[in-house]
Amino acid sequence: MVLHASLAHTTSHLRAPPPLAIASKALPFLGEAPPKLDGTMAGDVGFDPLNLSESAVPLPWMREAEITHGRVCMLAIVGYIAVDAGIRAPGADKIGTVTSFTAHDATVASGHMFLLLGVAGVLELAGIAGIAASLKGERTPGNFELGSSMVKDVKQLDRMQLAEITHCRLAMMAFSGLVTQAALGHTAFPYF
């Protein structure tokens, strides 16, 4: 009985083992995912080779930036190809004949870029309240309630959010490749 009592005394001071770390889905052979990438966000597969999730910049801020840049790139891909296909905005004939690659310099020279910067600035100001709510944990980053409130099925909403972030990431890489190909002299679709 003395042995049993002393054994109980020594084991009462032992703590429960720490929870097992989550393995990275993106690179399981590299081990565990960063602690803040726990799979709760859409598209979170534990991929953070630069360890940005542990930086001083809040994770909701970075997710908001990722979604915003991805949405812009999805629109940019369509616009870039449309311009090179010959589709022009009203009044664009005043700028002259341009390709998507040379349009930036042409609009700066003509002064039309200031209108675009003004519109972009207004949209950025309109989104500040949403970013502040994301940082407080009151809103999912990127959610401006433009359609997610119509989706009642949580699984369908999760699928849609995963599809959006996947397409955002693809569009960011595709736009980078498209502009690089254009800079190399391949200015006609399909830019090869």
Side-chain angles (χ1 to χ4, degrees), residues 166-182:
T166 303
H167 291 122
C168 283
R169 291 170 178 167
L170 177 62
M172 287 186 279
M173 293 187 325
F175 187 74
S176 299
L178 191 137
V179 173
T180 301
Q181 284 295 99

Side-chain angles (χ1 to χ4, degrees), residues 72-99:
V72 168
C73 283
M74 285 189 281
L75 291 170
I77 289 283
V78 173
Y80 203 97
I81 293 171
V83 168
D84 287 344
I87 300 170
R88 300 286 189 266
D93 54 343
K94 296 175 185 173
I95 297 173
T97 304
V98 294
T99 66

